[in-house]
Amino acid sequence: MPLFARASAFADFIYRHSRAVHTVKLALALFIAAAINTIWSLPHFVWSMVTIVIIMMGLPQVGGAIEKSLQRAVGTCLGSAYGVSLVILMNGYWDLMGLLILGVSIVCYLNAGRYSYAYLVAGFTMIIVIGDANHDTSEALWRTANILIGCVIAVLVSLFVLPIKAKQDWRAQLASSLKIMTQVLEQHLNAGQEEPENARKSLETAMKAVLAQKKLLFSLEWESQTLKKEAQTLTELANKQIRVITLLELLLLTRWKAEEDAAYARVKQVASGLQREFAYLADYVAGNTPDCPKLPLGLGYQLQQQLLKQLPSESSDDSPEAAHQDFALSGYSWLIYQLAQALLAIHGELASLDLAYKRKASAQRQLDIPE
């Protein structure tokens, strides 16, 4: 299925009601843990429920739940192994506590980067396992087992019960960002000398959408091997959107006198075509159009030449006022040209993602062909 194809009605329903769906899934996971305890009466089973809440409450997407569960499982195993070893080998209270503090300190030093949660879990698992240093290894092992059971339940419920995909959330945030950029540019071109109302708030909303995309990158990698291979493309796509937002903020700062309206109107007429291209791209990402819009061949160069034609030619008027107008109009044209370059860059990143999915679909069809 293409990356930007329209979502199914079922997937769209899950996304639109994701908070309610996620709440039901969390309740179901806790019910499963309670049912397991009713059947087998596991010691310290409450740690299963604690683990489920920690993993699922803040990460509704499938990819996020998988990553956090694996990090929690790895951290639990490492911390438990260290803690149980200390309980078995150390007899003195301060010998045990000294090595515990050393282990937690090492984990604290390493606690950075993508796998910081695993280090965090390893640290507090050491403390949980050792407890008050009563040398009860069975209690430590039961706590570890219950944490792992909670991880398994969280992953299975996330995967197989009304799965909430990070890809759909990412697509929605990307479409929202591009749509807001299109609206702000359109408002600016129609507002004349005045700054469009609420334009800056709209750009802040667009920036939040871009940051949301960045937060979803790890979840996307866990959900899709194709997107995992295109991690750099996803990062660059977010960075290009930030560049567009910055350029739009600069455009909002532009001001000119009433007598200069005619000169600026010619440049804005050229920019209107650029705004339409942004609108087409936003519609495609949202799934409203089946095919990726094809930008005019040599868009950047064509726009550059059109803008150069609109700039003031050499004039006998060497007054400071004329020089200031020439400089301001040139700067405004430069911003429009940079917006075109940013649009081309975003289009290129989306084309790379599309191509990666087409290659995947082609490879799958080849595997399905009988010999």
Side-chain angles (χ1 to χ4, degrees):
M1 181 179 179
L3 178 59
F4 297 109
R6 180 180 290 275
S8 66
F10 180 67
D12 186 60
F13 173 83
I14 292 177
Y15 180 73
R16 285 188 292 107
H17 301 88
S18 58
R19 291 181 64 182
V21 169
H22 181 55
T23 301
V24 171
K25 292 174 65 173
L26 177 61
L28 175 62
L30 292 174
F31 174 80
I32 292 172
I36 291 174
N37 178 66
T38 301
I39 297 171
W40 286 289
S41 189
L42 303 175
H44 306 290
F45 94 99
V46 71
W47 282 105
S48 295
M49 304 184 81
V50 170
T51 299
I52 289 170
V53 171
I54 291 175
I55 290 174
M56 295 186 65
M57 184 167 285
L59 290 169
Q61 296 88 7
V62 171
I66 293 174
E67 180 183 26
K68 199 163 187 178
S69 294
L70 290 174
Q71 289 203 39
R72 187 170 179 84
V74 171
T76 297
C77 291
L78 292 175
S80 178
Y82 184 77
V84 171
S85 298
L86 293 185
V87 170
I88 294 173
L89 299 175
M90 296 293 109
N91 293 320
Y93 175 82
W94 282 111
D95 292 337
L96 184 61
M97 286 300 167
L99 289 173
L100 169 62
I101 294 171
L102 175 63
V104 174
S105 299
I106 293 173
V107 167
C108 177
Y109 180 79
L110 298 173
N111 183 26
R114 178 170 181 174
Y115 302 104
S116 59
Y117 183 67
Y119 292 119
L120 171 66
V121 172
F124 71 69
T125 300
M126 293 177 193
I127 298 174
I128 291 171
V129 167
I130 293 174
D132 57 358
N134 60 11
H135 297 81
D136 186 352
T137 56
S138 64
E139 182 176 343
L141 293 174
W142 272 116
R143 289 178 179 179
T144 302
N146 277 285
I147 291 174
L148 295 177
I149 290 172
C151 290
V152 171
I153 294 173
V155 169
L156 292 178
V157 172
S158 296
L159 277 173
F160 299 111
V161 180
L162 301 176
I164 302 172
K165 296 300 183 76
K167 184 175 74 173
Q168 191 167 359
D169 194 7
W170 173 80
R171 269 189 61 184
Q173 297 295 343
L174 175 58
S176 174
S177 170
L178 292 174
K179 184 178 180 180
I180 292 172
M181 294 173 191
T182 304
Q183 292 171 344
V184 170
L185 180 56
E186 182 181 17
Q187 290 168 0
H188 168 74
L189 296 176
N190 295 330
Q193 301 175 46
E194 302 297 325
E195 180 176 311
E197 186 178 358
N198 297 324
R200 295 187 183 277
K201 289 184 178 179
S202 297
L203 289 180
E204 289 177 5
T205 303
M207 181 61 77
K208 291 178 182 177
V210 176
L211 295 177
Q213 294 169 46
K214 287 194 167 189
K215 289 180 180 178
L216 290 168
L217 293 185
F218 288 155
S219 296
L220 289 172
E221 292 179 25
W222 282 102
E223 286 185 10
S224 169
Q225 286 297 314
T226 304
L227 291 179
K228 184 175 183 179
K229 295 176 182 176
E230 298 294 327
Q232 185 61 35
T233 303
L234 294 172
T235 301
E236 287 299 321
L237 180 58
N239 293 337
K240 297 299 188 301
Q241 293 172 73
I242 294 174
R243 176 171 174 76
V244 173
I245 292 172
T246 303
L247 290 169
L248 289 174
E249 286 179 335
L250 293 174
L251 276 177
L252 294 178
L253 295 174
T254 55
R255 296 289 183 274
W256 54 90
K257 300 176 183 177
E259 58 268 21
E260 301 169 347
D261 274 350
Y264 280 95
R266 291 194 298 270
V267 177
K268 291 194 293 181
Q269 185 176 7
V270 175
S272 295
L274 179 62
Q275 183 268 330
R276 287 192 294 271
E277 299 299 339
F278 265 104
Y280 296 151
L281 202 58
D283 282 341
Y284 169 66
V285 171
N288 297 329
T289 56
D291 299 318
C292 183
K294 294 183 179 180
L295 298 182
L297 188 64
L299 172 65
Y301 177 77
Q302 289 182 14
L303 185 62
Q304 184 185 40
Q305 296 303 308
Q306 287 178 297
L307 290 171
L308 287 173
K309 291 178 182 178
Q310 308 305 328
L311 295 180
S313 57
E314 292 186 5
S315 171
S316 59
D317 187 359
D318 295 329
S319 65
E321 291 79 7
H324 173 76
Q325 179 181 349
D326 290 358
F327 175 78
L329 194 58
S330 299
Y332 187 83
S333 300
W334 180 86
L335 288 175
I336 298 299
Y337 173 68
Q338 290 301 319
L339 270 177
Q341 294 297 94
L343 173 64
L344 287 169
I346 289 175
H347 190 278
E349 305 297 351
L350 294 178
S352 296
L353 295 175
D354 272 336
L355 181 60
Y357 265 75
K358 288 178 181 177
R359 287 173 178 168
K360 177 184 176 182
S362 176
Q364 288 177 339
R365 283 195 296 269
Q366 292 177 0
L367 290 175
D368 292 338
I369 296 175
E371 296 183 359

